[in-house]
Amino acid sequence: MGDKTMSADEVVSRLQSGMTLGIGGWGSRRKPMTLVRALLRTDITDLTIVSYGGPDVGMLAAAGRIRKLVTAFVTLDSIPLEPHYRAARERAGIELTEVDEGMFLSGLHAAAHRLPFLPVRAGLGSDVMRINPHLKTVTSPYEDGEALVAMPALRMDAALLHMSRADRLGNGQYLGPDPYFDDLFCAAADAAYVSCERIVDTAELTKAAPPQSLLLKRLAVTGVVEAPNGAHFTSCAPDYDRDEEFQRLYATTPWPEFAERFLGPDEAAYRAAALKWREEQAG
């Protein structure tokens, strides 16, 4: 229950090839991009990724790190389909489990509550069942006898998340309009690593925001990383909006060229390269 602060490199040093890794956020919103970039600087591969996907999935797919993806979508929001993910799928290099958003949420709930599955109506009568033949149905034991989809639990070895604020103990706070189910990712994983815009004292977390904004509880958090601008180029409201110009650059640049220019040896190199690009555009 003590100080859980660590660096992004320390976080990824605890991950291994072949793991099932959950990534919080939603599309191109509040993604833990500092942690994703740190992961890309390792040789970790053969991952199963569980995510409401955005550029986190696009970058890992483009770099050939994903063996299997479990998702409801992969989007950049203002760009409907993530182009680097699309290219990876066209190369047929990723095993895909694509389900309805509600089914995905039920899978997170099941894992968070340590249940093997949860019954849902979503998916019945749709192609979700056809393209996912491993999904099974169950019959209600009550008088209705209704057939329901048994959505399996989405258990993870580790989860990566980004919060607006956190304390050193692992309590995480969001200040934007939506929690994006990050608390469920945290509870569904054996270990949860949280980057945040700023680490503050515990008492400061509720000075200007209600207790409901304390989304992540310290008992479920393994490590905390202070990473200002750590969701860039995705949004982290109210601290900053999505960097639409940089996102367009990412979406229209071949992955090898983008990676060579912006990944670099560490996060400081990424920030310097992004700033240099911004100055070039302004000049």
Side-chain angles (χ1 to χ4, degrees), residues 166-181:
D167 65 13
R168 293 178 177 275
L169 302 176
N171 297 299
Q173 180 180 51
Y174 79 103
L175 298 176
D178 201 315
Y180 306 133
F181 310 114

Side-chain angles (χ1 to χ4, degrees), residues 37-220:
R37 287 187 287 268
L39 179 59
L40 285 165
R41 295 183 189 106
T42 72
D43 59 1
I44 293 172
T45 189
D46 196 37
L47 294 169
T48 295
I49 298 295
V50 180
S51 174
Y52 285 109
D56 54 326
V57 171
M59 290 184 176
L60 291 169
R65 307 302 182 89
I66 302 177
R67 176 181 60 83
K68 179 180 179 179
L69 174 66
V70 183
T71 191
F73 52 75
V74 184
T75 178
L76 297 177
D77 292 319
S78 57
I79 300 173
L81 184 58
E82 217 284 358
H84 294 294
Y85 164 71
R86 179 181 62 193
R89 280 288 293 158
E90 289 173 349
R91 294 193 298 269
I94 299 175
E95 179 185 346
L96 177 64
T97 295
E98 185 177 20
V99 296
D100 170 87
E101 290 177 24
M103 296 173 73
F104 190 100
L105 177 59
S106 293
L108 291 177
H109 273 293
H113 291 286
R114 301 303 190 266
L115 297 172
F117 69 92
L118 276 177
V120 296
R121 291 191 178 94
L124 291 172
S126 76
D127 278 348
V128 168
M129 302 302 289
R130 179 183 62 81
I131 65 174
N132 295 292
H134 63 280
L135 292 177
K136 302 183 183 301
T137 59
V138 293
T139 302
S140 168
Y142 299 103
E143 292 182 0
D144 59 275
E146 184 177 0
L148 299 164
V149 176
M151 179 62 199
L154 297 177
R155 287 293 304 165
M156 310 160 206
D157 296 306
L160 306 179
L161 315 156
H162 187 74
M163 290 283 107
S164 303
R165 305 288 184 270
D167 65 13
R168 293 178 177 275
L169 302 176
N171 297 299
Q173 180 180 51
Y174 79 103
L175 298 176
D178 201 315
Y180 306 133
F181 310 114
D182 281 3
D183 53 333
L184 294 179
F185 276 91
C186 202
D190 294 337
Y193 300 99
V194 181
S195 60
C196 65
E197 291 298 310
R198 186 157 53 92
I199 291 177
V200 299
D201 291 336
T202 303
E204 189 175 333
L205 291 172
T206 54
K207 278 186 177 179
Q212 299 94 309
S213 65
L214 296 178
L215 184 65
L216 306 185
K217 309 302 185 289
R218 66 184 188 275
L219 289 173

Side-chain angles (χ1 to χ4, degrees), residues 23-33 37 51-59 71 73-83 162 177-178 180 230-237 240-251 270:
I23 304 178
W26 178 280
S28 194
R29 305 174 220 179
R30 214 177 68 231
K31 285 291 182 176
M33 298 306 293
R37 287 187 287 268
S51 174
Y52 285 109
D56 54 326
V57 171
M59 290 184 176
T71 191
F73 52 75
V74 184
T75 178
L76 297 177
D77 292 319
S78 57
I79 300 173
L81 184 58
E82 217 284 358
H162 187 74
D178 201 315
Y180 306 133
H232 184 267
F233 50 91
T234 73
S235 62
C236 185
Y240 47 87
D241 294 328
R242 183 166 54 243
D243 188 337
E244 294 287 1
E245 291 184 1
F246 194 89
Q247 178 167 273
R248 283 193 293 272
L249 171 71
Y250 161 75
Y270 168 78

Side-chain angles (χ1 to χ4, degrees), residues 8-24:
D9 288 339
E10 287 176 310
V11 169
V12 296
S13 73
R14 299 183 176 206
L15 307 179
Q16 299 177 4
S17 294
M19 276 186 164
T20 296
L21 185 62
I23 304 178

